């Protein structure tokens, strides 16, 4: 069955494309959810106008994403984590911790945009890719430093008095 796509559908086509799909997919998914219509001359004209507006909006969004990526490029954040003497973390640093560190700098992104192949488990500087869209990405530098509980927990306490034997 041929249908005219009203919206871009992943792995099928973009808005305005006439595609051949199985009849059940069209009847049960594309048509009821308003993703496609029958490819008549009137529908094709209407979808072409929608496609023009969609492409303009997409270009504006893409320009905004490129600007955000440019501003984010090279940003450095520091995350304190507990680690052993060899520098291996007791836990791991994932997207949630990176988002929290960025939020402290008033930079807000989505967790899905942080591209980590695997969680960070080592103290050091790590380059992390933030993907805004296909081919729009920025690299941020995440410094993972040891968490110092003993130093943070103590305030300037008076030094213990040394016993001196004066007689």
């Amino acid at each position: 069955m041929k249908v005219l796509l009203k919206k871009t559908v992943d792995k099928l086509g973009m808005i305005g494309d006439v595609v051949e799909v199985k009849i059940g997919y069209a009847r049960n998914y594309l048509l009821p959810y308003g993703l496609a219509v029958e490819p008549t001359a009137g529908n094709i004209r209407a979808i072409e106008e929608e496609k023009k507006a969609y492409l303009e909006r997409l270009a504006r969004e893409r320009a905004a994403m490129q600007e955000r990526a440019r501003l984010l490029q090279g940003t450095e954040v520091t995350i304190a984590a507990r680690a052993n003497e060899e520098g291996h973390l007791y836990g791991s640093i994932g997207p949630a911790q990176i988002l929290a560190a960025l939020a402290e700098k008033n930079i807000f992104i989505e967790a899905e945009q942080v591209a980590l192949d695997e969680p960070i488990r080592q103290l050091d500087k790590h380059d992390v890719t933030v993907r805004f869209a296909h081919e729009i990405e920025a690299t941020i530098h995440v410094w993972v430093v040891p968490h110092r509980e003993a130093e943070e927990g103590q305030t300037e306490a008076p030094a213990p008095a040394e016993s001196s034997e004066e007689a």
Side-chain angles (χ1 to χ4, degrees):
M1 175 177 196
K2 289 192 179 205
V3 293
L4 172 66
L5 295 177
K6 290 176 68 177
K7 297 183 180 170
T8 299
V9 179
D10 287 338
K11 300 179 184 174
L12 186 58
M14 292 191 59
I15 184 172
D17 291 348
V18 176
V19 294
E20 182 75 32
V21 296
K22 292 189 178 183
I23 205 162
Y25 185 56
R27 281 189 195 161
N28 297 323
Y29 180 68
L30 296 175
L31 297 174
Y33 287 99
L35 300 174
V37 292
E38 189 178 331
T40 63
N43 284 343
I44 291 174
R45 277 193 304 274
I47 296 297
E48 284 301 318
E49 292 175 19
E50 288 180 30
K51 182 178 182 179
K52 190 183 300 182
Y54 168 76
L55 292 176
E56 289 172 3
R57 187 177 73 246
L58 192 64
R60 284 192 308 270
E61 289 173 359
R62 192 163 178 82
M65 282 188 256
Q66 287 174 334
E67 181 63 20
R68 283 195 77 196
R70 187 186 65 75
L71 293 173
L72 190 61
Q73 182 68 33
T75 300
E76 293 188 4
V77 294
T78 303
I79 300 174
R82 294 185 51 201
N84 63 15
E85 286 77 27
E86 291 90 36
H88 297 287
L89 301 182
Y90 289 123
S92 63
I93 304 292
Q97 290 84 2
I98 294 171
L99 291 177
L102 286 170
E104 289 176 6
K105 292 187 164 202
N106 290 327
I107 300 171
F108 301 98
I109 58 174
E110 299 295 322
E112 300 84 35
Q113 294 174 329
V114 177
L116 276 178
D117 293 332
E118 57 186 36
I120 298 170
R121 293 191 168 93
Q122 187 74 27
L123 294 176
D124 201 5
K125 176 184 171 190
H126 301 272
D127 293 335
V128 176
T129 302
V130 178
R131 286 200 180 95
F132 291 97
H134 182 66
E135 297 181 2
I136 300 177
E137 54 188 41
T139 301
I140 61 172
H141 308 292
V142 177
W143 288 92
V144 181
V145 297
H147 183 68
R148 303 280 185 226
E149 289 178 10
E151 292 175 5
E152 292 174 1
Q154 289 183 356
T155 56
E156 289 295 319
E162 294 183 24
S163 62
S164 61
E165 295 181 33
E166 292 182 18

